[in-house]
mmCIF file of all heavy atoms in Angstrom:
data_model
loop_
_atom_site.group_PDB
_atom_site.id
_atom_site.type_symbol
_atom_site.label_atom_id
_atom_site.label_comp_id
_atom_site.label_asym_id
_atom_site.label_seq_id
_atom_site.Cartn_x
_atom_site.Cartn_y
_atom_site.Cartn_z
ATOM 1 N N THR A 30 0.877 -1.219 0.004
ATOM 2 C CA THR A 30 0.015 -0.022 0.010
ATOM 3 C C THR A 30 0.806 1.225 -0.050
ATOM 4 O O THR A 30 0.606 2.200 -0.737
ATOM 5 C CB THR A 30 -0.936 0.008 1.246
ATOM 6 O OG1 THR A 30 -1.728 -1.200 1.238
ATOM 7 C CG2 THR A 30 -1.801 1.235 1.304
ATOM 8 N N GLU A 31 1.934 1.270 0.853
ATOM 9 C CA GLU A 31 2.790 2.382 0.787
ATOM 10 C C GLU A 31 3.487 2.579 -0.553
ATOM 11 O O GLU A 31 3.620 3.732 -1.064
ATOM 12 C CB GLU A 31 3.945 2.120 1.866
ATOM 13 C CG GLU A 31 3.525 2.264 3.269
ATOM 14 C CD GLU A 31 3.095 3.635 3.724
ATOM 15 O OE1 GLU A 31 3.886 4.498 3.566
ATOM 16 O OE2 GLU A 31 1.903 3.808 4.147
ATOM 17 N N ALA A 32 3.877 1.504 -1.195
ATOM 18 C CA ALA A 32 4.516 1.595 -2.508
ATOM 19 C C ALA A 32 3.572 2.162 -3.514
ATOM 20 O O ALA A 32 3.903 2.974 -4.369
ATOM 21 C CB ALA A 32 5.015 0.225 -2.956
ATOM 22 N N LEU A 33 2.277 1.756 -3.487
ATOM 23 C CA LEU A 33 1.280 2.288 -4.412
ATOM 24 C C LEU A 33 1.020 3.809 -4.172
ATOM 25 O O LEU A 33 0.961 4.571 -5.116
ATOM 26 C CB LEU A 33 -0.049 1.429 -4.260
ATOM 27 C CG LEU A 33 -0.055 -0.012 -4.699
ATOM 28 C CD1 LEU A 33 -1.261 -0.681 -4.267
ATOM 29 C CD2 LEU A 33 0.126 0.004 -6.209
ATOM 30 N N LEU A 34 0.919 4.203 -2.879
ATOM 31 C CA LEU A 34 0.705 5.583 -2.541
ATOM 32 C C LEU A 34 1.861 6.421 -2.967
ATOM 33 O O LEU A 34 1.721 7.569 -3.561
ATOM 34 C CB LEU A 34 0.432 5.713 -1.037
ATOM 35 C CG LEU A 34 -0.861 5.188 -0.504
ATOM 36 C CD1 LEU A 34 -0.807 5.186 1.018
ATOM 37 C CD2 LEU A 34 -2.031 5.952 -1.014
ATOM 38 N N TYR A 35 3.067 5.901 -2.830
ATOM 39 C CA TYR A 35 4.268 6.655 -3.169
ATOM 40 C C TYR A 35 4.330 6.773 -4.702
ATOM 41 O O TYR A 35 4.632 7.885 -5.274
ATOM 42 C CB TYR A 35 5.502 5.988 -2.673
ATOM 43 C CG TYR A 35 6.760 6.603 -3.123
ATOM 44 C CD1 TYR A 35 7.159 7.869 -2.668
ATOM 45 C CD2 TYR A 35 7.683 5.927 -3.913
ATOM 46 C CE1 TYR A 35 8.350 8.461 -3.156
ATOM 47 C CE2 TYR A 35 8.870 6.461 -4.305
ATOM 48 C CZ TYR A 35 9.134 7.738 -3.915
ATOM 49 O OH TYR A 35 10.337 8.298 -4.379
ATOM 50 N N ARG A 36 4.079 5.670 -5.447
ATOM 51 C CA ARG A 36 4.168 5.717 -6.857
ATOM 52 C C ARG A 36 3.101 6.699 -7.408
ATOM 53 O O ARG A 36 3.334 7.341 -8.481
ATOM 54 C CB ARG A 36 3.934 4.323 -7.392
ATOM 55 C CG ARG A 36 4.069 4.178 -8.909
ATOM 56 C CD ARG A 36 5.506 4.195 -9.373
ATOM 57 N NE ARG A 36 5.641 4.228 -10.786
ATOM 58 C CZ ARG A 36 6.810 4.090 -11.409
ATOM 59 N NH1 ARG A 36 7.934 3.900 -10.746
ATOM 60 N NH2 ARG A 36 6.901 4.172 -12.774
ATOM 61 N N ALA A 37 1.960 6.757 -6.799
ATOM 62 C CA ALA A 37 0.928 7.666 -7.284
ATOM 63 C C ALA A 37 1.122 9.091 -6.793
ATOM 64 O O ALA A 37 0.335 9.993 -7.244
ATOM 65 C CB ALA A 37 -0.464 7.193 -6.842
ATOM 66 N N GLY A 38 2.099 9.349 -5.973
ATOM 67 C CA GLY A 38 2.372 10.742 -5.569
ATOM 68 C C GLY A 38 1.502 11.169 -4.437
ATOM 69 O O GLY A 38 1.419 12.307 -4.029
ATOM 70 N N ALA A 39 0.831 10.187 -3.790
ATOM 71 C CA ALA A 39 0.006 10.554 -2.633
ATOM 72 C C ALA A 39 0.750 10.819 -1.341
ATOM 73 O O ALA A 39 0.260 11.439 -0.427
ATOM 74 C CB ALA A 39 -1.081 9.425 -2.413
ATOM 75 N N ILE A 40 1.948 10.267 -1.279
ATOM 76 C CA ILE A 40 2.871 10.528 -0.145
ATOM 77 C C ILE A 40 4.228 10.852 -0.625
ATOM 78 O O ILE A 40 4.606 10.456 -1.754
ATOM 79 C CB ILE A 40 2.970 9.254 0.846
ATOM 80 C CG1 ILE A 40 3.358 8.000 0.070
ATOM 81 C CG2 ILE A 40 1.589 9.069 1.531
ATOM 82 C CD1 ILE A 40 3.503 6.843 0.966
ATOM 83 N N GLY A 41 4.986 11.550 0.207
ATOM 84 C CA GLY A 41 6.323 12.029 -0.272
ATOM 85 C C GLY A 41 7.334 10.932 -0.261
ATOM 86 O O GLY A 41 8.253 10.921 -1.084
ATOM 87 N N SER A 42 7.221 10.015 0.734
ATOM 88 C CA SER A 42 8.171 8.859 0.895
ATOM 89 C C SER A 42 7.457 7.743 1.497
ATOM 90 O O SER A 42 6.559 7.929 2.356
ATOM 91 C CB SER A 42 9.430 9.277 1.547
ATOM 92 O OG SER A 42 9.089 9.671 2.937
ATOM 93 N N PRO A 43 7.766 6.538 1.065
ATOM 94 C CA PRO A 43 7.073 5.336 1.635
ATOM 95 C C PRO A 43 7.533 5.101 3.134
ATOM 96 O O PRO A 43 8.733 5.154 3.399
ATOM 97 C CB PRO A 43 7.497 4.200 0.708
ATOM 98 C CG PRO A 43 8.777 4.649 0.092
ATOM 99 C CD PRO A 43 8.711 6.121 -0.004
ATOM 100 N N GLY A 44 6.608 4.861 3.940
ATOM 101 C CA GLY A 44 6.933 4.440 5.329
ATOM 102 C C GLY A 44 7.233 2.981 5.422
ATOM 103 O O GLY A 44 7.052 2.191 4.422
ATOM 104 N N THR A 45 7.602 2.491 6.628
ATOM 105 C CA THR A 45 7.818 1.097 6.820
ATOM 106 C C THR A 45 7.168 0.582 8.127
ATOM 107 O O THR A 45 6.936 1.452 9.020
ATOM 108 C CB THR A 45 9.345 0.741 6.966
ATOM 109 O OG1 THR A 45 9.843 1.348 8.138
ATOM 110 C CG2 THR A 45 10.087 1.249 5.733
ATOM 111 N N VAL A 46 6.795 -0.647 8.136
ATOM 112 C CA VAL A 46 6.131 -1.211 9.287
ATOM 113 C C VAL A 46 7.136 -1.182 10.468
ATOM 114 O O VAL A 46 6.724 -0.916 11.615
ATOM 115 C CB VAL A 46 5.745 -2.656 9.003
ATOM 116 C CG1 VAL A 46 5.201 -3.365 10.319
ATOM 117 C CG2 VAL A 46 4.619 -2.668 7.946
ATOM 118 N N GLU A 47 8.433 -1.437 10.206
ATOM 119 C CA GLU A 47 9.413 -1.488 11.270
ATOM 120 C C GLU A 47 9.575 -0.061 11.912
ATOM 121 O O GLU A 47 9.790 -0.011 13.146
ATOM 122 C CB GLU A 47 10.736 -1.833 10.708
ATOM 123 C CG GLU A 47 10.771 -3.383 10.265
ATOM 124 C CD GLU A 47 10.086 -3.590 8.958
ATOM 125 O OE1 GLU A 47 9.829 -2.596 8.191
ATOM 126 O OE2 GLU A 47 9.711 -4.741 8.725
ATOM 127 N N ARG A 48 9.528 0.974 11.170
ATOM 128 C CA ARG A 48 9.657 2.340 11.735
ATOM 129 C C ARG A 48 8.282 2.831 12.330
ATOM 130 O O ARG A 48 8.288 3.762 13.063
ATOM 131 C CB ARG A 48 10.044 3.336 10.631
ATOM 132 C CG ARG A 48 11.475 3.147 10.188
ATOM 133 C CD ARG A 48 11.975 4.446 9.462
ATOM 134 N NE ARG A 48 11.092 4.859 8.386
ATOM 135 C CZ ARG A 48 11.294 4.571 7.108
ATOM 136 N NH1 ARG A 48 12.299 3.868 6.717
ATOM 137 N NH2 ARG A 48 10.458 4.946 6.136
ATOM 138 N N GLY A 49 7.257 2.142 12.011
ATOM 139 C CA GLY A 49 5.889 2.564 12.485
ATOM 140 C C GLY A 49 5.399 3.866 11.940
ATOM 141 O O GLY A 49 4.630 4.537 12.631
ATOM 142 N N ASP A 50 5.757 4.122 10.606
ATOM 143 C CA ASP A 50 5.329 5.392 9.984
ATOM 144 C C ASP A 50 4.473 5.195 8.759
ATOM 145 O O ASP A 50 4.505 6.018 7.880
ATOM 146 C CB ASP A 50 6.477 6.293 9.766
ATOM 147 C CG ASP A 50 7.541 5.710 8.823
ATOM 148 O OD1 ASP A 50 7.399 4.504 8.512
ATOM 149 O OD2 ASP A 50 8.495 6.405 8.429
ATOM 150 N N THR A 51 3.802 3.980 8.586
ATOM 151 C CA THR A 51 2.975 3.876 7.388
ATOM 152 C C THR A 51 1.672 4.553 7.595
ATOM 153 O O THR A 51 1.241 4.858 8.686
ATOM 154 C CB THR A 51 2.702 2.310 7.258
ATOM 155 O OG1 THR A 51 2.023 1.785 8.342
ATOM 156 C CG2 THR A 51 4.043 1.583 7.091
ATOM 157 N N VAL A 52 1.018 4.776 6.458
ATOM 158 C CA VAL A 52 -0.319 5.495 6.475
ATOM 159 C C VAL A 52 -1.293 4.581 7.109
ATOM 160 O O VAL A 52 -2.232 5.074 7.906
ATOM 161 C CB VAL A 52 -0.727 5.829 5.033
ATOM 162 C CG1 VAL A 52 -2.100 6.423 5.041
ATOM 163 C CG2 VAL A 52 0.268 6.830 4.384
ATOM 164 N N CYS A 53 -1.332 3.280 6.906
ATOM 165 C CA CYS A 53 -2.387 2.431 7.374
ATOM 166 C C CYS A 53 -2.195 1.927 8.777
ATOM 167 O O CYS A 53 -3.230 1.817 9.555
ATOM 168 C CB CYS A 53 -2.552 1.246 6.401
ATOM 169 S SG CYS A 53 -3.067 1.672 4.743
ATOM 170 N N ASP A 54 -1.017 1.604 9.227
ATOM 171 C CA ASP A 54 -0.783 1.138 10.544
ATOM 172 C C ASP A 54 -0.496 2.327 11.530
ATOM 173 O O ASP A 54 0.593 2.460 12.039
ATOM 174 C CB ASP A 54 0.300 0.096 10.685
ATOM 175 C CG ASP A 54 -0.045 -1.207 10.047
ATOM 176 O OD1 ASP A 54 -1.236 -1.374 9.644
ATOM 177 O OD2 ASP A 54 0.881 -2.077 9.850
ATOM 178 N N PHE A 55 -1.512 3.092 11.760
ATOM 179 C CA PHE A 55 -1.313 4.333 12.552
ATOM 180 C C PHE A 55 -1.635 4.118 14.028
ATOM 181 O O PHE A 55 -1.338 4.969 14.876
ATOM 182 C CB PHE A 55 -2.169 5.451 11.911
ATOM 183 C CG PHE A 55 -3.607 5.086 11.889
ATOM 184 C CD1 PHE A 55 -4.490 5.294 12.876
ATOM 185 C CD2 PHE A 55 -4.111 4.610 10.619
ATOM 186 C CE1 PHE A 55 -5.871 4.909 12.702
ATOM 187 C CE2 PHE A 55 -5.444 4.330 10.464
ATOM 188 C CZ PHE A 55 -6.349 4.445 11.498
ATOM 189 N N ASP A 56 -2.396 3.083 14.344
ATOM 190 C CA ASP A 56 -2.812 2.809 15.813
ATOM 191 C C ASP A 56 -1.567 2.574 16.544
ATOM 192 O O ASP A 56 -0.745 1.798 16.144
ATOM 193 C CB ASP A 56 -3.844 1.674 15.791
ATOM 194 C CG ASP A 56 -4.397 1.513 17.178
ATOM 195 O OD1 ASP A 56 -3.755 0.757 17.938
ATOM 196 O OD2 ASP A 56 -5.453 2.080 17.490
ATOM 197 N N PRO A 57 -1.493 3.105 17.854
ATOM 198 C CA PRO A 57 -0.281 2.793 18.703
ATOM 199 C C PRO A 57 -0.153 1.286 18.853
ATOM 200 O O PRO A 57 1.042 0.868 18.937
ATOM 201 C CB PRO A 57 -0.736 3.461 20.005
ATOM 202 C CG PRO A 57 -1.586 4.562 19.634
ATOM 203 C CD PRO A 57 -2.377 4.081 18.467
ATOM 204 N N LEU A 58 -1.162 0.498 18.970
ATOM 205 C CA LEU A 58 -1.033 -0.964 19.207
ATOM 206 C C LEU A 58 -0.452 -1.591 17.928
ATOM 207 O O LEU A 58 0.358 -2.528 18.013
ATOM 208 C CB LEU A 58 -2.318 -1.600 19.612
ATOM 209 C CG LEU A 58 -2.768 -1.305 21.012
ATOM 210 C CD1 LEU A 58 -4.129 -1.918 21.198
ATOM 211 C CD2 LEU A 58 -1.823 -1.796 22.043
ATOM 212 N N GLU A 59 -0.880 -1.064 16.753
ATOM 213 C CA GLU A 59 -0.297 -1.576 15.483
ATOM 214 C C GLU A 59 1.190 -1.388 15.449
ATOM 215 O O GLU A 59 2.037 -2.229 14.937
ATOM 216 C CB GLU A 59 -1.004 -1.058 14.299
ATOM 217 C CG GLU A 59 -2.440 -1.491 14.132
ATOM 218 C CD GLU A 59 -3.220 -0.813 13.030
ATOM 219 O OE1 GLU A 59 -3.032 0.361 12.805
ATOM 220 O OE2 GLU A 59 -3.930 -1.648 12.275
ATOM 221 N N LYS A 60 1.688 -0.175 15.889
ATOM 222 C CA LYS A 60 3.055 0.130 15.927
ATOM 223 C C LYS A 60 3.812 -0.786 16.952
ATOM 224 O O LYS A 60 4.987 -1.226 16.659
ATOM 225 C CB LYS A 60 3.289 1.559 16.289
ATOM 226 C CG LYS A 60 2.648 2.476 15.167
ATOM 227 C CD LYS A 60 2.889 4.002 15.650
ATOM 228 C CE LYS A 60 2.270 4.954 14.575
ATOM 229 N NZ LYS A 60 2.435 6.392 14.925
ATOM 230 N N ASP A 61 3.159 -1.069 18.007
ATOM 231 C CA ASP A 61 3.802 -1.978 19.042
ATOM 232 C C ASP A 61 3.851 -3.392 18.536
ATOM 233 O O ASP A 61 4.899 -4.112 18.670
ATOM 234 C CB ASP A 61 3.022 -1.942 20.283
ATOM 235 C CG ASP A 61 3.166 -0.647 21.119
ATOM 236 O OD1 ASP A 61 4.171 0.105 20.757
ATOM 237 O OD2 ASP A 61 2.379 -0.388 21.998
ATOM 238 N N TYR A 62 2.695 -3.849 17.914
ATOM 239 C CA TYR A 62 2.733 -5.290 17.413
ATOM 240 C C TYR A 62 3.462 -5.462 16.119
ATOM 241 O O TYR A 62 3.822 -6.594 15.783
ATOM 242 C CB TYR A 62 1.210 -5.671 17.168
ATOM 243 C CG TYR A 62 0.357 -5.975 18.451
ATOM 244 C CD1 TYR A 62 0.555 -5.156 19.553
ATOM 245 C CD2 TYR A 62 -0.593 -6.924 18.341
ATOM 246 C CE1 TYR A 62 -0.228 -5.509 20.671
ATOM 247 C CE2 TYR A 62 -1.410 -7.161 19.432
ATOM 248 C CZ TYR A 62 -1.218 -6.460 20.641
ATOM 249 O OH TYR A 62 -1.956 -6.718 21.771
ATOM 250 N N ARG A 63 3.675 -4.353 15.386
ATOM 251 C CA ARG A 63 4.318 -4.364 14.107
ATOM 252 C C ARG A 63 3.540 -5.206 13.003
ATOM 253 O O ARG A 63 4.101 -5.865 12.217
ATOM 254 C CB ARG A 63 5.780 -4.852 14.220
ATOM 255 C CG ARG A 63 6.637 -3.906 14.997
ATOM 256 C CD ARG A 63 8.118 -4.142 14.772
ATOM 257 N NE ARG A 63 8.882 -3.083 15.293
ATOM 258 C CZ ARG A 63 10.177 -2.994 15.262
ATOM 259 N NH1 ARG A 63 10.874 -3.938 14.582
ATOM 260 N NH2 ARG A 63 10.900 -2.022 15.862
ATOM 261 N N HIS A 64 2.306 -5.129 13.104
ATOM 262 C CA HIS A 64 1.431 -5.676 12.017
ATOM 263 C C HIS A 64 0.007 -5.098 12.207
ATOM 264 O O HIS A 64 -0.372 -4.522 13.207
ATOM 265 C CB HIS A 64 1.341 -7.221 12.081
ATOM 266 C CG HIS A 64 0.817 -7.799 13.334
ATOM 267 N ND1 HIS A 64 -0.539 -7.818 13.647
ATOM 268 C CD2 HIS A 64 1.412 -8.398 14.293
ATOM 269 C CE1 HIS A 64 -0.778 -8.410 14.736
ATOM 270 N NE2 HIS A 64 0.435 -8.732 15.315
ATOM 271 N N SER A 65 -0.705 -5.152 11.096
ATOM 272 C CA SER A 65 -2.086 -4.487 11.046
ATOM 273 C C SER A 65 -3.001 -5.213 11.977
ATOM 274 O O SER A 65 -2.949 -6.475 12.144
ATOM 275 C CB SER A 65 -2.658 -4.560 9.639
ATOM 276 O OG SER A 65 -1.765 -3.855 8.747
ATOM 277 N N LEU A 66 -3.894 -4.518 12.697
ATOM 278 C CA LEU A 66 -4.924 -5.048 13.534
ATOM 279 C C LEU A 66 -6.286 -4.682 13.123
ATOM 280 O O LEU A 66 -7.256 -5.329 13.595
ATOM 281 C CB LEU A 66 -4.662 -4.569 15.013
ATOM 282 C CG LEU A 66 -3.288 -4.826 15.634
ATOM 283 C CD1 LEU A 66 -3.078 -4.031 16.843
ATOM 284 C CD2 LEU A 66 -3.225 -6.315 15.853
ATOM 285 N N SER A 67 -6.480 -3.789 12.204
ATOM 286 C CA SER A 67 -7.788 -3.421 11.675
ATOM 287 C C SER A 67 -7.633 -2.932 10.280
ATOM 288 O O SER A 67 -6.517 -2.659 9.773
ATOM 289 C CB SER A 67 -8.372 -2.282 12.569
ATOM 290 O OG SER A 67 -9.676 -1.911 12.165
ATOM 291 N N LEU A 68 -8.764 -2.888 9.576
ATOM 292 C CA LEU A 68 -8.687 -2.466 8.165
ATOM 293 C C LEU A 68 -8.401 -0.972 8.151
ATOM 294 O O LEU A 68 -8.794 -0.162 9.096
ATOM 295 C CB LEU A 68 -9.983 -2.814 7.463
ATOM 296 C CG LEU A 68 -11.282 -2.302 7.857
ATOM 297 C CD1 LEU A 68 -11.532 -0.823 7.327
ATOM 298 C CD2 LEU A 68 -12.438 -3.174 7.392
ATOM 299 N N ALA A 69 -7.827 -0.501 7.034
ATOM 300 C CA ALA A 69 -7.509 0.954 6.887
ATOM 301 C C ALA A 69 -7.812 1.311 5.468
ATOM 302 O O ALA A 69 -7.619 0.485 4.520
ATOM 303 C CB ALA A 69 -6.114 1.314 7.278
ATOM 304 N N LEU A 70 -8.359 2.553 5.295
ATOM 305 C CA LEU A 70 -8.707 3.009 3.903
ATOM 306 C C LEU A 70 -7.696 4.062 3.437
ATOM 307 O O LEU A 70 -7.280 4.926 4.172
ATOM 308 C CB LEU A 70 -10.108 3.672 4.004
ATOM 309 C CG LEU A 70 -11.318 2.718 3.926
ATOM 310 C CD1 LEU A 70 -11.355 1.828 5.151
ATOM 311 C CD2 LEU A 70 -12.570 3.561 3.830
#
């Protein structure tokens, strides 16, 4: 999803799950768990 958003110009640089700065995994628990816990649009 990050790669698609970056390629489309929707974000300036792609985030990573490891850094906890992706558009979709924004919940604090998702950053702690390092994986998605709920759907994101």
Side-chain angles (χ1 to χ4, degrees):
T30 301
E31 289 291 305
L33 291 168
L34 291 171
Y35 175 65
R36 184 76 187 189
I40 56 177
S42 61
T45 68
V46 173
E47 292 74 20
R48 290 198 306 264
D50 59 353
T51 63
V52 175
C53 293
D54 288 356
F55 54 84
D56 185 273
L58 288 176
E59 290 178 316
K60 296 178 182 182
D61 289 343
Y62 284 36
R63 292 195 174 185
H64 61 76
S65 301
L66 299 169
S67 182
L68 63 82
L70 279 63

